[in-house]
Amino acid sequence: MDFRIEHDSMGEVNVPADRYWGAQTQRSLENFKIGTEKIPMEIIRAFGILKKAAAMANHRLGKLDKPRTDIICQVCDEILSGQLEGHFPLAVWQTGSGTQSNMNVNEVIANRGNEIAGEELLHPNDQVNMSQSSNDTFPTAMHIAAAVSIEDHLFPSMDGLIQTFERLMREHEGIVKTGRTHLQDATPITFSQEISGWKNMLEKSRDMLALSLPGLKELALGGTAVGTGLNAPTGFDVEVARAVSELTGKEFRTAGNKFHALTSKDELVFAHGALKGLAANMMKIANDIRWLSSGPRCGLGEIRIPENEPGSSIMPGKVNPTQCESVTMVAVQVMANDVAVGIAASQGNFELNVFMPVCIYNFLQSVRLLSDSLASFNQNCAVGIQANREKMTENLYRSLMLVTCLNPYIGYENAAKTAKKAYNDGISLKEACVALGFLTEEKFDEIFIPEKMV
């Protein structure tokens, strides 16, 4: 491999000749050979946005000339288009402030920009990092990445599944089935009512995530090293937030208190709590669907779901609810990530939190997994759900809990005796009720109409 010599304040370092990063990135690569987890590309793209916004703000405030501003913006556009993805190699397990990733981006922009210009116009610290510190850029990148990922990736996946459930509700209107509580038979419900519960879970989770977005759209940029704004021009924080808003089409604003913005990660904890709530809801929905589709002959068998792939290497013809299993595994991971995000956020010492890379790594993994799994679950499972009407009707009329409708006529205790006799003797509720002398056959038929119990 060919190398070139780069230098920083600590001296010279050999860097691969075909990479745009510089000495500080190379030192991080050599000093943190830990795991396979890399800084997420969502963070790198967020850095592309904020570095472009910072250049625009510095230019508007008279700090950066137009040629340098234009080159920085051009390289940031290359980052955002994915052209430079191979130049951001750093591990999550680096300095807790994310300093080395900030410098990785600075070095790539400077070296690529100088290549475009054909001369040394950009220094990674002096021009690309102008009016900034790693301590305010990394938390800013975290917030940009979190907000964009939720709005542009997770919400569309959620909306698609919500729309599918809306369609399923319409298509299955009027189908009455047995309800279940404690995994035991309960009073009747319509299948549309059951689906409406799933749909509203997603709608509630979406509302909760929307509540978290204003906090995520507050930016630390302009606080520099400790929140005082040292070395940033007056008005930079407001101007750079305006520029980020222009570039993203989203309403970002500068954080009102930069001392809070640098050291506290409570907005991310709040937002991830909503992600955990969505994961919990998806665990319930997926489990409901695989229970209802269990069988095909020896389970509940009340719905049919798409058959996507063989389910066994030894049992011919077996098909499993694999999309449901995938969703539930994602839910487990998101719930585990919530612990990491919470603990990381608790470690703000004095003027800075130094658990930021692990915090945002877990946060973005949760958003990514939920976005992908909801889209996959919708496309490969939910859209193909069909009611097994015959099985639903059979189970409905076999349910002993239909006896509940007799309470107003024969009382709770006599209704309980009816249910127990029917169960013990293996007879119908009607036969048991009449045999016990509680109602005549005619009266029983008059009041015992399961379809009117929903």
Side-chain angles (χ1 to χ4, degrees), residues 42-48 50 136-147 219-221 360 364:
E42 294 96 328
I43 286 291
I44 302 303
R45 287 191 289 272
F47 264 113
L50 79 85
D136 66 351
T137 59
F138 201 88
T140 296
M142 291 169 73
H143 276 212
I144 293 172
L219 303 182
L221 209 56
I360 196 60
L364 292 173

Side-chain angles (χ1 to χ4, degrees), residues 286-349:
N287 277 334
D288 281 358
I289 289 172
R290 66 174 167 180
W291 271 106
L292 290 171
S293 65
S294 61
R297 291 187 173 179
C298 301
L300 296 180
E302 291 190 348
I303 65 173
R304 299 183 182 93
I305 60 176
E307 298 180 348
N308 296 324
E309 61 271 319
S312 173
S313 61
I314 189 173
M315 293 176 279
K318 195 174 193 301
V319 180
N320 298 327
T322 51
Q323 288 294 318
C324 296
E325 292 165 4
S326 177
V327 166
T328 54
M329 287 193 289
V330 164
V332 167
Q333 185 64 59
V334 172
M335 292 175 191
N337 288 349
D338 193 66
V339 176
V341 169
I343 294 175
S346 74
Q347 298 302 304
N349 303 125

Side-chain angles (χ1 to χ4, degrees), residues 209-224:
L209 284 163
L211 284 173
S212 74
L213 287 173
L216 294 177
K217 291 180 178 178
E218 291 187 3
L219 303 182
L221 209 56
T224 64

Side-chain angles (χ1 to χ4, degrees), residues 127-402:
Q127 282 82 40
V128 185
N129 202 59
M130 180 182 286
S131 309
Q132 306 154 61
S133 163
S134 298
N135 295 353
D136 66 351
T137 59
F138 201 88
T140 296
M142 291 169 73
H143 276 212
I144 293 172
V148 169
S149 295
I150 289 171
E151 286 193 332
D152 293 357
H153 300 287
L154 182 55
F155 278 176
S157 293
M158 295 178 73
D159 292 342
L161 188 52
I162 288 169
Q163 291 166 11
T164 294
F165 286 149
E166 287 177 346
R167 174 180 61 80
L168 291 173
M169 287 171 60
R170 293 192 301 269
E171 292 177 356
H172 296 96
E173 189 69 40
I175 301 176
V176 180
K177 62 185 291 292
T178 188
R180 294 179 177 87
T181 60
H182 303 270
L183 296 182
Q184 305 295 307
D185 301 340
T187 53
I189 188 173
T190 69
F191 189 34
S192 290
Q193 288 171 334
E194 194 164 41
I195 297 170
S196 76
W198 302 339
K199 181 174 80 78
N200 199 231
M201 287 179 185
L202 293 172
E203 291 168 336
K204 292 287 188 182
S205 288
R206 197 187 193 287
D207 289 344
M208 293 173 192
L209 284 163
L211 284 173
S212 74
L213 287 173
L216 294 177
K217 291 180 178 178
E218 291 187 3
L219 303 182
L221 209 56
T224 64
V226 295
T228 61
L230 179 67
N231 289 350
T234 300
F236 175 78
D237 56 349
V238 174
E239 191 61 47
V240 77
R242 182 181 296 117
V244 171
S245 300
E246 292 171 8
L247 295 173
T248 61
K250 303 181 189 301
E251 190 176 344
F252 287 92
R253 61 186 181 278
T254 190
N257 187 306
K258 304 300 191 301
F259 308 104
H260 167 271
L262 267 60
T263 195
S264 175
K265 301 292 154 256
D266 49 10
E267 298 98 341
L268 288 158
V269 173
F270 182 73
H272 201 280
L275 294 173
K276 181 175 68 172
L278 173 59
N281 281 336
M282 287 307 302
M283 176 74 82
K284 182 261 192 294
I285 292 169
N287 277 334
D288 281 358
I289 289 172
R290 66 174 167 180
W291 271 106
L292 290 171
S293 65
S294 61
R297 291 187 173 179
C298 301
L300 296 180
E302 291 190 348
I303 65 173
R304 299 183 182 93
I305 60 176
E307 298 180 348
N308 296 324
E309 61 271 319
S312 173
S313 61
I314 189 173
M315 293 176 279
K318 195 174 193 301
V319 180
N320 298 327
T322 51
Q323 288 294 318
C324 296
E325 292 165 4
S326 177
V327 166
T328 54
M329 287 193 289
V330 164
V332 167
Q333 185 64 59
V334 172
M335 292 175 191
N337 288 349
D338 193 66
V339 176
V341 169
I343 294 175
S346 74
Q347 298 302 304
N349 303 125
F350 303 113
E351 277 64 62
L352 187 68
N353 178 290
V354 291
F355 283 67
M356 289 192 286
V358 69
C359 180
I360 196 60
Y361 175 83
N362 282 276
F363 187 101
L364 292 173
Q365 184 190 57
S366 292
V367 178
R368 195 182 314 116
L369 289 176
L370 287 167
S371 301
D372 292 348
S373 69
L374 264 68
S376 177
F377 182 73
N378 184 31
Q379 177 182 344
N380 298 307
C381 181
V383 295
I385 290 174
Q386 297 177 339
N388 184 343
R389 296 179 181 230
E390 296 78 14
K391 188 66 173 177
M392 285 183 176
T393 300
E394 176 189 342
N395 287 343
L396 174 66
Y397 277 86
R398 291 178 62 211
S399 172
L400 295 175
M401 290 306 101
L402 297 177

